[in-house]
């Protein structure tokens, strides 16, 4: 029976489907998806049912290893393969000390009708973890903040905190990450109120890490010093009141002293004015200039006795002994008691 040329595409599709179905059961690659940590070893296994001669392995787009039956395997320090069965139907392929550049498809091809199978390799990288500032000493009930920095991680790490081995509630910290070149850098900030001495721990991990990477610091909490604010405020208040009272008393005292001085001064001035306004007494013993004797009528109760003015005469020039004797006799006739009192009055 002749087959039309128009039927060839359909027949080709049927052949490919049947052939692929038949081959898929004869060639398997496991695992099809593998995630490992950088620096570790990763293994893939190829199982072939039937006779085959050549098997190749490609990593990152490059041919890295060839397996030839019987028993001829070209290996290197990073890539190796071994037969896992005596009939050569199973091959284990290993990548040693895997790195980030090995990430991507791992292709195993078997020569002939078997074709190829592809697995996906993911390589993770763990970087560093550090808490800024180191150990801290604070007062009780003081608000504290810790900052954790993770660098050179791939993919973005999961960051968490712990206090004395107990996980911290996620509401107490905030984490941000950014892609820097070919890795992630994350910053996590933890805030809480210091109560007791605490070991604060920051943890970072990725899927392939068995144990997360950690770093810790110690928080020392010292007693809070006594609050002198209230006492100081009370002392300052009482001291201010006392100073104010003393100031007021001082002002009152000074005012009274001033008033007393002003009153005394005014009294003195009034007394002096009264004395100045009164009639002053005449000094009867005063002899005006140009007079040599006082009349007997002018010498009265002011301290001088009555005496006859004729008994007191001017002393003439001494020219003879007789004249001097007459003057002396007249002078001594005046009673000495006439000069008992001598009073001056000064009028202001």
């Amino acid at each position: 029976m002749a087959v039309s040329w128009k039927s060839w595409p359909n027949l080709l599709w049927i052949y490919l489907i049947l052939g692929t179905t038949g081959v898929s059961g004869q060639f398997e690659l496991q695992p099809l998806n593998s995630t490992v940590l950088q620096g570790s070893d990763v293994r893939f296994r190829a199982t072939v049912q039937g006779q085959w001669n050549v098997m190749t392995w490609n990593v990152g787009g490059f041919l890295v290893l060839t397996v030839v039956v019987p028993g001829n395997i070209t290996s290197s320090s990073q890539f190796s393969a071994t037969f896992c069965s005596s009939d050569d139907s199973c091959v284990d392929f290993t990548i040693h000390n895997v790195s980030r550049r090995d990430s991507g498809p791992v292709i195993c091809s078997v020569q002939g009708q078997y074709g190829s199978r592809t697995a996906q390799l993911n390589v993770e990288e763990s970087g560093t973890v550090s808490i800024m500032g180191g150990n801290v000493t604070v007062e009780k009930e003081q608000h504290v903040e810790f900052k954790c920095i993770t660098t050179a991680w791939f993919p973005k790490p999961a960051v968490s905190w712990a206090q004395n081995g107990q996980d911290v509630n996620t509401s107490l910290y905030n984490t941000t990450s950014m892609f820097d070149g070919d890795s992630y850098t994350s910053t996590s900030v933890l805030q809480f109120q210091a109560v007791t001495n605490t070991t604060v721990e920051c943890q970072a991990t990725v899927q392939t890490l068995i144990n997360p990477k950690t770093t810790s610091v110690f928080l020392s909490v010292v007693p809070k010093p006594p609050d002198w604010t209230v006492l100081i405020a009370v002392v300052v208040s009482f001291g201010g009141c006392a100073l104010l009272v003393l100031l007021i008393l001082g002002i009152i005292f000074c005012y009274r002293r001033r008033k007393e001085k002003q009153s005394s001064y005014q009294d003195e001035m009034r007394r002096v004015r009264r004395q100045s306004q009164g009639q002053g007494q005449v000094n009867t013993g005063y002899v005006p200039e140009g007079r040599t004797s006082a009349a007997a009528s002018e010498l009265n109760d002011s301290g001088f006795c009555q005496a006859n003015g004729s008994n007191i005469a001017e002393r003439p020039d001494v020219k003879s002994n007789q004249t001097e004797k007459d003057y002396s006799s007249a002078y001594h006739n005046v009673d000495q008691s006439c000069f008992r009192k001598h009073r001056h009055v000064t009028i202001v």
Side-chain angles (χ1 to χ4, degrees), residues 334-347:
V334 180
D335 191 354
Q336 296 301 321
S337 62
C338 294
F339 298 95
R340 290 177 298 176
K341 181 184 293 186
H342 187 182
R343 181 175 61 185
H344 294 273
V345 175
T346 303
I347 300 174

Side-chain angles (χ1 to χ4, degrees), residues 200-218:
V200 180
E201 186 179 71
C202 180
Q203 305 173 346
T205 187
V206 288
Q207 176 184 347
T208 55
L209 273 177
I210 299 176
N211 297 311
K213 280 193 172 183
T214 64
T215 184
S216 63
V217 295
F218 189 74

